[in-house]
Amino acid sequence: WASPGGTNTPITIFADGYNPEAQALAALLQVPVIHHHNPSPKGSSTRVNSHIKFVLQQVFQRYSQADKVIILEDDLELAPDFIPYFHQTAPLLTSDLKLFCVNAYNYNAFNHTAFDPTRLYRVHGAPAYGWMVRKTVAREMVNNWVTGKGMDWDLWVRQVVMGERDILVPEVPRSKHRGGGGVHVTGIEQQQYYDQRPLNTLPNVTLDVHGAELHNYIKFHYSNIRTGHVVRFSKHPCEDLTIPRHQMNESYVVYIDQKDE
């Protein structure tokens, strides 16, 4: 609600199982809550998979006029421009069928790699930590949902459903993972890994959406690759990292031969 446009954005809490705390919070905030009577074992990936599928099915039934929804987990810190970030990227998600969804998070963002809050990237990854999806794509995900046990829904989406489509992500994330006791993230991992991630602090950022359009994006990055300085490794990079440090506005290229994903 503190984010511009947030008060005009309907919010619904989807609780995994009956949760009296969620019920009390929803009453306090005066927002609806839907309890999912999830039969899967608690603390399992199967239960998480079941709940995400339930949310994707129910949210578009509840908001039948909506073309897009934003899926949030309850342990995220949000940037001050969280809602404007999605407002600005929504038209591109509508017009560009090569886009699968828009993430607020960027797995490759660290304090030494994320500087420009206006820049967007098209990546192959997974929906994560605050993501916007169109109704047609959500329906496609549900109709091709992960089967059996042993695989998380987001990895299934990446490997089976997404295909050659891209996910739009910000260079500087608009969400930050804060929970350290879930199914996938331990407290140690949270402290050593997720707590070190950057989060945009600027309230008014005009995104370079034009630069994220497919033709412009490919042209820009192909040019950078062609003119970039090729970095060659003589030793394993864990022993000798020959990538130049503290270079701004220069492109460096590393070629990697990888046989599989």
Side-chain angles (χ1 to χ4, degrees):
W1 286 334
S3 185
T7 54
N8 296 323
T9 304
I11 297 173
T12 297
I13 296 175
F14 290 88
D16 183 6
Y18 178 73
N19 189 306
E21 291 86 359
Q23 186 74 42
L25 178 64
L28 180 68
L29 300 177
Q30 296 185 327
V31 299
V33 59
I34 297 175
H35 298 277
H36 175 204
H37 301 291
N38 195 338
S40 301
K42 291 185 177 181
S44 67
S45 294
T46 304
R47 187 177 181 98
V48 176
N49 294 346
S50 175
H51 187 58
I52 296 295
K53 181 181 181 180
F54 175 82
V55 171
L56 288 174
Q57 290 173 317
Q58 293 293 318
V59 68
F60 282 109
Q61 292 182 20
R62 184 172 187 87
Y63 301 103
S64 59
Q65 300 302 312
D67 177 61
K68 305 174 189 69
V69 297
I70 300 169
I71 306 296
L72 278 169
E73 294 160 280
D74 62 0
D75 54 2
L76 302 179
E77 180 181 352
L78 308 182
D81 68 335
F82 181 81
I83 295 297
Y85 168 78
F86 285 114
H87 279 175
Q88 292 180 67
T89 54
L92 187 57
L93 185 62
T94 298
S95 62
D96 189 345
L97 298 181
K98 188 75 164 52
L99 283 180
F100 187 81
C101 69
V102 178
N103 273 10
Y105 192 75
N106 178 358
Y107 277 104
N108 290 321
F110 297 91
N111 289 321
H112 63 284
T113 63
F115 298 101
D116 187 352
T118 71
R119 178 171 287 180
L120 300 166
Y121 290 98
R122 305 176 68 111
V123 305
H124 286 260
Y129 304 146
W131 49 286
M132 178 171 63
V133 65
R134 294 190 66 187
K135 181 188 295 187
T136 53
V137 175
R139 186 180 299 121
E140 180 186 355
M141 292 171 63
V142 168
N143 291 340
N144 296 277
W145 201 249
V146 54
T147 57
K149 301 179 181 179
M151 179 173 280
D152 297 322
W153 71 271
D154 50 355
L155 298 181
W156 173 272
V157 165
R158 175 179 176 172
Q159 294 182 20
V160 178
V161 185
M162 194 168 71
E164 294 300 314
R165 287 171 288 186
D166 302 323
I167 294 178
L168 200 65
V169 304
E171 178 168 309
V172 183
R174 266 52 178 194
S175 67
K176 189 167 186 173
H177 190 277
R178 287 297 193 186
V183 175
H184 299 100
V185 181
T186 64
I188 294 177
E189 186 180 12
Q190 175 65 36
Q191 182 180 30
Q192 293 181 344
Y193 186 69
Y194 289 97
D195 284 351
Q196 311 306 317
R197 297 306 191 102
L199 179 71
N200 178 55
T201 59
L202 301 175
N204 300 306
V205 178
T206 301
L207 300 170
D208 182 16
V209 178
H210 181 67
E213 294 174 0
L214 184 59
H215 174 76
N216 299 328
Y217 188 85
I218 294 297
K219 182 179 179 181
F220 174 78
H221 286 285
Y222 273 11
S223 175
N224 279 348
I225 291 171
R226 283 195 299 266
T227 61
H229 308 283
V230 178
V231 178
R232 303 186 186 280
F233 294 91
S234 58
K235 298 180 179 179
H236 193 284
C238 289
E239 298 178 12
D240 182 23
L241 189 62
T242 55
I243 297 176
R245 306 291 184 95
H246 311 297
Q247 299 293 316
M248 300 295 291
N249 300 318
E250 292 283 347
S251 294
Y252 294 89
V253 182
V254 176
Y255 289 96
I256 300 173
D257 180 22
Q258 185 168 318
K259 301 301 183 183
D260 55 25
E261 184 175 290

